[in-house]
Amino acid sequence: QVQLVESGGGLVQAGGSLRLSCAASGRTVGAYAMGWFRQAPGKEREFVAQVTWSGANTYYADSVKGRFTISRDNAKNTVNLQMNSLKPEDTAVYYCAAAKYSGDRYYIEDEYAYWGQGTQVTVSS
């Protein structure tokens, strides 16, 4: 079993930055791809970013490309999401997830085995 705990959410003005962190415990997640998803009020949960097990490759939703950066530290069992130039439409609960596999291009929820409880990000205009 893997437990994931997100932190770093909060309220920020448009144009500001936040850094989300995801701490994994239980079994190491170093062998698995990791991702971030988000769910805005009244909307379905959507893919945000993914990083391969080694950290060598990253993938982003078009809506966040160039503004968000995903990274991981396997020694610390953590995954981070640096969010810059935030917009009101980035407001959502952000979830960290561990994929079922170690490869790449995992964009849908069914490809992920473990989920955190989420952290709220609110961007004011």
Side-chain angles (χ1 to χ4, degrees), residues 1-78:
Q1 285 288 345
V2 174
Q3 292 79 44
L4 302 173
V5 178
E6 303 95 336
S7 62
L11 173 64
V12 64
Q13 288 188 333
S17 298
L18 281 175
R19 183 177 177 86
L20 305 183
S21 293
C22 174
S25 60
R27 194 172 63 185
T28 180
V29 295
Y32 302 95
M34 297 292 293
W36 286 93
F37 285 72
R38 68 185 181 186
Q39 187 168 21
K43 295 187 177 181
E44 294 187 351
R45 190 154 54 183
E46 64 176 3
F47 170 80
V48 175
Q50 184 235 315
V51 59
T52 52
W53 73 272
S54 66
N57 295 315
T58 56
Y59 304 91
Y60 300 93
D62 288 342
S63 58
V64 307
K65 201 171 294 183
R67 300 187 297 122
F68 290 13
T69 303
I70 188 172
S71 62
R72 69 187 298 164
D73 184 337
N74 286 340
K76 296 181 179 179
N77 236 13
T78 58

